[in-house]
Amino acid sequence: MDPKERVGELLHRALEEIADADDEGALERIRISYLGREGSLTAILRSIGELPPEDRAPVGKRANAAKNQLESALETAQEALSAIPFEAPVDVSAPGLPVDRGTRHPLRIVLDEVLDIFVAMGYSVADGPEVETEWFNFTGLNIPEDHPARDMQDSYYVGKDLVLRSQTSPIQLRYMREHAPQLPVQIVGPGRTYRRDTEDPSHSPVFHQCEALLVDRGITMGHLRGTLTEFARRLFGEHVNVRFRPSYFPFTEPSAEVDVTCTSCGERGCPACGGKGFMEILGAGMVHPTVLENGGYDPEAVSGFAFGMGIERLAMIKYGINDLRSFYRNDLRFLGQFGGGLR
Ligand code: PHE
């Protein structure tokens, strides 16, 4: 028989056999009988050299094309067979495969709680950019160039006049400048913040803060104290007290560091609070007149308070966590413990 016809016939037969094959074993047998070492198509390909010279090219071409066609037919048939998952019958009443649901990250859970508390007290949520201008992060907040308070916040500069914000306080200024002279200004501003700190159990170069700002006529430190007491009790429980210690921030005057009752010992003093009975949760104060002015408000007519808290710190106190790095390690055994169902 003419070798070209023989190739055509082999291909035809092989394709018919493939169409009839009903398991992967049958396909493999077909592959071996045509394309294996002793296979009939292989034999033709091997004997091309013995053909008269003028036949070699056309037969070779034909046989190679047949080989490719067979290989892809085998592959397609193989895929079709392995795509049928069950021998059946399918039990449509069987339970489906469970899909794991994620949970909120513990930092998200705590931040959501903080925001809920303030929204319930009438605050709105504001935000601002993580890459901030020097003016919003420092100068406008009464921290001029050369002021030592800039050094305390080992900042990341990302260009001339641009810095990864070292605090959420610039949100205060942005919001006031957009809304002046509206009253009251009553916002919380959560966000990610950056400082050139080396990682250790209580520091991370990337962390989270939430800012709060209230500006209106006749706001006093009494309002600040009442607000913080209410906030701390809603977050940590009715039993906690709030304590103010004098402090310094360039953008508030007077300024305070604010502590709450230690959640481990209830003010008796223990290793968790270093024997103090209280734990520091945030910085606060009465908005500095210069900052009010920079925000577009008249410090003679209005006053306000502001505070800023670290979300990691709140979460560590609330859940009794002693190493902040556990928040960032993506260990699901840790992250799944806080019951933060999605909402
Ligand atoms: N921005 C301050 C900090 O990061 C916290 C603060 C905010 C203090 C608002 C007073 C008023 O430490």
Side-chain angles (χ1 to χ4, degrees):
M1 190 193 285
D2 170 60
K4 269 194 283 175
E5 265 175 50
R6 170 128 176 86
V7 170
E9 196 196 309
L10 280 181
L11 177 62
H12 182 75
R13 195 150 37 91
L15 290 175
E16 260 175 14
E17 286 173 25
I18 291 172
D20 287 344
D22 49 16
D23 62 47
E24 299 185 20
L27 287 177
E28 181 58 11
R29 283 191 294 279
I30 297 168
R31 195 188 63 76
I32 290 168
S33 83
Y34 292 90
L35 301 172
R37 239 188 303 162
E38 315 276 319
S40 42
L41 194 57
T42 309
I44 294 181
L45 280 161
R46 282 220 185 108
S47 63
I48 283 172
E50 294 150 25
L51 294 173
E54 68 276 17
D55 283 349
R56 288 180 198 162
V59 175
K61 216 167 155 194
R62 186 85 199 259
N64 271 315
K67 184 179 170 210
N68 289 338
Q69 202 179 335
L70 263 187
E71 277 169 350
S72 68
L74 282 166
E75 200 178 312
T76 311
Q78 159 99 33
E79 273 164 20
L81 282 177
S82 60
I84 303 171
F86 301 113
E87 298 264 289
V90 176
D91 176 2
V92 293
S93 68
L97 296 173
V99 177
D100 284 343
R101 293 190 84 196
T103 59
R104 282 176 296 148
H105 190 280
L107 293 177
R108 183 75 234 180
I109 298 171
V110 170
L111 177 59
D112 280 343
E113 249 179 82
V114 169
L115 295 180
D116 281 351
I117 292 170
F118 284 106
V119 166
M121 293 198 263
Y123 288 70
S124 326
V125 180
D127 67 6
E130 288 176 33
V131 180
E132 208 22 301
T133 64
E134 239 185 294
W135 192 85
F136 276 106
N137 197 73
F138 292 123
T139 319
L141 289 168
N142 202 29
I143 318 178
E145 224 178 304
D146 302 333
H147 193 289
R150 285 200 184 198
D151 282 353
M152 280 160 52
Q153 304 198 349
D154 277 334
S155 315
Y156 285 113
Y157 284 84
V158 293
K160 189 170 156 29
D161 294 340
L162 282 180
V163 65
L164 296 185
R165 70 175 169 202
S166 59
Q167 48 187 356
T168 43
S169 303
I171 296 175
Q172 295 183 29
L173 275 177
R174 287 189 175 274
Y175 190 90
M176 283 193 282
R177 289 164 73 90
E178 256 170 50
H179 293 83
Q182 283 171 34
L183 287 173
V185 173
Q186 196 178 9
I187 53 154
V188 275
R192 195 165 287 156
T193 45
Y194 302 82
R195 289 184 200 179
R196 204 165 44 79
D197 279 328
T198 305
E199 263 196 14
D200 69 23
S202 55
H203 291 89
S204 158
V206 183
F207 58 107
H208 301 79
Q209 287 191 333
C210 186
E211 195 81 6
L213 172 69
L214 180 84
V215 178
D216 207 344
R217 277 179 238 285
I219 298 300
T220 69
M221 211 135 167
H223 296 112
L224 173 60
R225 198 175 162 94
T227 303
L228 284 175
T229 304
E230 184 60 22
F231 163 66
R233 291 190 173 158
R234 289 198 196 177
L235 189 66
F236 295 113
E238 279 304 314
H239 63 285
V240 305
N241 296 313
V242 168
R243 181 172 89 167
F244 279 40
R245 280 178 293 112
S247 183
Y248 172 76
F249 299 102
F251 34 91
T252 46
E253 181 59 35
S255 303
E257 236 133 72
V258 177
D259 301 341
V260 289
T261 302
C262 171
T263 46
S264 328
C265 68
E267 293 174 29
R268 278 185 298 275
C270 70
C273 56
K276 293 196 282 278
F278 281 86
M279 290 177 149
E280 184 192 327
I281 58 162
L282 52 83
M286 301 306 292
V287 183
H288 194 284
T290 305
V291 176
L292 285 174
E293 234 161 47
N294 289 341
Y297 287 88
D298 175 4
E300 298 295 328
V302 302
S303 56
F305 62 67
F307 49 93
M309 55 196 124
I311 301 302
E312 279 80 352
R313 190 170 182 80
L314 291 184
M316 287 168 80
I317 294 176
K318 192 168 164 72
Y319 297 126
I321 294 165
N322 51 23
D323 189 338
L324 149 165
R325 291 170 292 189
S326 3
F327 292 126
Y328 311 125
R329 285 198 181 120
N330 284 340
D331 181 342
L332 296 181
R333 291 166 304 180
F334 171 79
L335 296 176
Q337 289 176 57
F338 304 96
L342 296 176
R343 50 177 205 177

